[in-house]
């Protein structure tokens, strides 16, 4: 296995100044002096060196506060390029960005039973090479590729272990980082998609300094991640999907033949909703769903979303029930983790505004210490793009890792 190391920016002072400028977008020397606590001469030298190395650009002049107008600095977007890759159960997305996260190119694969790792990975590698060629970017100008994938996975060895519910076979013990770094010749980092989504959301909201964030994504499974003091929290094993195993009803049903009985995923996931709908229709309930598909067992999530948007009473009831159970699971997380801000994403939450409202209302009602403990709920800024954006950001973050 080739282990390529990600380029990094000089010494600790260089890293600190680069990171300050990156967070602000455009910033004057005066503000940098104040925030870095460096002496004027050290700061001047650091800025000159970073500019000479092409990491920074002088971006014109700020407003005069009496005397000369201050020089403004920003990071150089063309100092390097990054790929972000999101490998999920429904879609896989690849983006190519500059260091300001301007998107230069993007590709999308609809995951079906044909997209085994043996077929998908070579296609992704080929697409990445084509993107670089069409934008005239040499591969040594690429800092790396960040991958956010469905867990469980092993970040250190860069392996996707054994995720459930992939449409295609073969997604077990797939060494993705080794494969891509060998094919493409630049560094590759892997983390689970819930963590990269949280990295993306946290970056897009960096002007509000939330230190403790929780991200929960409800779709085929329930994926979650947590940040404390601005850093992703890692357990002893990859825990991306484990919140879905939280037990809500000890003697409850379970989906398929795995997982806990009566766990959250059994009540609040795409499969759970499909099963509920099929069961109710078999009981003889009337519904718009029967105009979309004549046989109850053929009803799937896309039919349900369609009926929900047309306010079909049975469908509204089923979704509301799932959102309520999800709210109960969420209150358990809030009672344990006490985040300042919670970002909810995924097809279950985004399919209708009422679902976010139901879930958050139930969560607050069951959270201890309310109203002294206040939490902010959000659907995020990036929606389904959070995972792939965060995967790209993860590589840029390495520039200033101390």
């Amino acid at each position: 296995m080739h282990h390529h190391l990600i380029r990094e920016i000089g010494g600790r002072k260089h890293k600190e100044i680069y990171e300050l400028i990156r967070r602000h977008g455009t910033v004057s020397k005066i503000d940098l002096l104040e925030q870095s606590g460096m002496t004027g001469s050290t700061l001047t030298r650091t800025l000159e060196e970073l500019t000479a190395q092409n990491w920074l650009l002088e971006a014109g002049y700020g407003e005069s506060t009496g005397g000369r107008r201050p020089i403004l600095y920003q990071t150089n977007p063309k100092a390097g390029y990054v790929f972000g890759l999101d490998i999920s159960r429904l879609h896989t997305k690849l983006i190519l960005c500059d260091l300001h996260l301007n998107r230069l190119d993007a590709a999308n694969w609809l995951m079906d039973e044909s997209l085994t790792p043996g077929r998908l990975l070579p296609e992704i590698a080929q697409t990445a090479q084509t993107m670089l060629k069409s934008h005239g970017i040499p591969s040594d100008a690429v800092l790396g590729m960040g991958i956010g994938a469905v867990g469980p996975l092993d970040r250190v060895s860069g392996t996707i272990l054994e995720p459930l519910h992939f449409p295609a076979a073969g997604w077990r013990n797939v060494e993705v980082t080794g494969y891509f770094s060998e094919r493409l010749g630049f560094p590759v980092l892997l983390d689970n998609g819930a963590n990269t989504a949280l990295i993306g959301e946290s970056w897009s909201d960096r002007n509000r300094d939330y230190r403790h964030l929780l991200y929960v994504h409800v779709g085929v499974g329930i994926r979650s991640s947590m940040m404390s003091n601005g850093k992703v929290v890692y357990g002893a094993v990859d825990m991306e999907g484990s919140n879905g195993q939280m037990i809500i009803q000890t003697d409850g049903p379970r989906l398929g033949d795995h997982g806990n009985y009566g766990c959250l995923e059994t009540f609040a996931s795409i499969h759970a909703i499909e099963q509920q709908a099929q069961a109710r229709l078999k009981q003889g309930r009337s519904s718009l769903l029967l105009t979309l598909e004549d046989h109850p067992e053929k009803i799937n999530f896309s039919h349900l979303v369609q009926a929900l948007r047309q306010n079909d009473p049975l469908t509204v009831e089923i979704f509301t029930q799932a959102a309520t159970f999800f709210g109960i699971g969420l209150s358990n997380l809030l009672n344990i983790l006490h985040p300042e801000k919670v970002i909810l994403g995924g097809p279950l939450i985004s399919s209708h505004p009422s679902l976010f409202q139901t879930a958050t209302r139930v969560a607050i009602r069951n959270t201890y210490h309310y109203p002294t403990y206040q939490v902010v709920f959000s659907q995020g800024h990036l929606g389904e793009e959070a995972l792939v954006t965060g995967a790209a950001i993860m590589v840029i973050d390495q520039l200033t890792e101390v």
Side-chain angles (χ1 to χ4, degrees):
M1 254 173 86
H2 297 293
H3 276 295
H4 300 273
L5 292 172
I6 292 192
R7 269 195 288 165
E8 46 173 89
I9 283 169
R12 190 179 281 264
K13 290 189 178 74
H14 295 78
K15 288 186 163 85
E16 189 188 331
I17 293 300
Y18 183 86
E19 194 55 32
L20 269 176
I21 296 172
R22 184 182 160 217
R23 289 198 158 270
H24 284 285
T26 307
V27 60
S28 74
K29 200 161 162 177
I30 297 160
D31 292 338
L32 289 169
L33 255 182
E34 204 173 294
Q35 292 182 32
S36 68
M38 284 180 191
T39 63
S41 59
T42 304
L43 177 64
T44 302
R45 192 171 63 243
T46 307
L47 287 169
E48 279 170 1
E49 285 166 4
L50 283 167
T51 309
Q53 290 157 6
N54 229 5
W55 289 115
L56 295 185
L57 297 174
E58 293 185 3
Y61 293 93
E63 292 300 305
S64 169
T65 48
R68 286 195 320 211
R69 296 171 63 202
I71 296 179
L72 299 178
Y73 289 90
Q74 58 167 231
T75 61
N76 177 6
K78 305 278 175 261
Y81 299 88
V82 292
F83 282 103
L85 177 65
D86 160 20
I87 302 177
S88 292
R89 296 175 175 107
L90 300 174
H91 291 270
T92 285
K93 290 183 186 133
L94 176 70
I95 59 171
L96 170 62
C97 303
D98 65 18
L99 295 190
H100 284 184
L101 293 175
N102 296 310
R103 247 179 225 204
L104 309 178
D105 220 322
N108 206 336
W109 290 263
L110 190 59
M111 298 294 269
D112 58 26
E113 42 288 359
S114 77
L115 287 181
T116 58
R119 259 204 57 191
L120 181 62
L121 302 187
E123 261 189 55
I124 294 170
Q126 184 56 59
T127 305
Q129 284 165 331
T130 308
M131 285 179 179
L132 292 177
K133 199 169 282 153
S134 70
H135 293 274
I137 298 168
S139 69
D140 61 7
V142 179
L143 292 181
M145 174 192 278
I147 306 175
V150 175
L153 46 83
D154 180 341
R155 288 186 305 140
V156 181
S157 67
T159 310
I160 295 177
L161 299 174
E162 35 186 348
L164 292 170
H165 312 308
F166 262 82
W171 287 93
R172 287 179 66 109
N173 301 325
V174 185
E175 293 191 10
V176 283
T177 60
Y179 176 83
F180 286 122
S181 65
E182 199 151 311
R183 278 285 306 266
L184 299 168
F186 44 71
V188 182
L189 300 174
L190 174 69
D191 204 338
N192 73 55
N195 286 345
T196 67
L198 185 50
I199 291 167
E201 287 293 355
S202 159
W203 179 254
S204 74
D205 200 17
R206 63 189 175 281
N207 50 347
R208 300 284 308 272
D209 201 20
Y210 290 108
R211 310 301 292 157
H212 306 285
L213 292 168
L214 173 68
Y215 171 86
V216 190
H217 183 277
V218 200
V220 174
I222 296 171
R223 307 168 72 176
S224 63
S225 56
M226 174 89 189
M227 257 186 192
S228 187
N229 283 321
K231 291 262 179 248
V232 173
V233 176
Y234 290 101
V237 292
D238 183 55
M239 17 179 222
E240 180 208 50
S242 52
N243 281 344
Q245 290 303 312
M246 178 194 308
I247 296 164
I248 300 287
Q249 182 190 335
T250 51
D251 59 349
R254 71 173 178 173
L255 286 179
D257 53 359
H258 54 261
N260 289 328
Y261 288 98
C263 71
L264 186 56
E265 260 176 34
T266 314
F267 298 103
S269 64
I270 286 178
H271 288 311
I273 286 185
E274 290 174 340
Q275 279 191 347
Q276 280 293 318
Q278 292 169 7
R280 296 282 176 276
L281 293 172
K282 287 175 185 174
Q283 284 175 343
R285 295 283 297 269
S286 59
S287 166
L288 264 179
L289 290 165
L290 295 167
T291 62
L292 302 174
E293 190 54 77
D294 52 358
H295 198 292
E297 293 195 347
K298 289 189 184 148
I299 294 291
N300 65 28
F301 189 66
S302 58
H303 299 128
L304 284 154
V305 171
Q306 217 175 319
L308 177 69
R309 296 199 172 140
Q310 294 175 333
N311 281 321
D312 170 53
L314 176 67
T315 308
V316 169
E317 180 188 317
I318 290 168
F319 270 93
T320 305
Q321 179 73 357
T324 303
F325 272 115
F326 175 62
I328 291 167
L330 195 51
S331 69
N332 288 336
L333 291 174
L334 295 177
N335 285 328
I336 296 167
L337 302 168
H338 290 98
E340 296 166 283
K341 181 176 178 183
V342 177
I343 299 159
L344 302 180
L348 203 78
I349 295 293
S350 57
S351 44
H352 198 278
S354 67
L355 302 175
F356 176 79
Q357 288 149 12
T358 301
T360 53
R361 198 175 60 240
V362 171
I364 286 175
R365 199 167 291 166
N366 292 297
T367 298
Y368 196 59
H369 286 324
Y370 190 78
T372 20
Y373 165 54
Q374 294 280 358
V375 61
V376 178
F377 289 104
S378 159
Q379 286 187 265
H381 299 278
L382 303 174
E384 295 302 299
E385 296 295 299
L387 287 82
V388 75
T389 309
I393 292 169
M394 183 165 71
V395 180
I396 305 175
D397 283 343
Q398 294 286 310
L399 284 173
T400 51
E401 275 294 301
V402 182

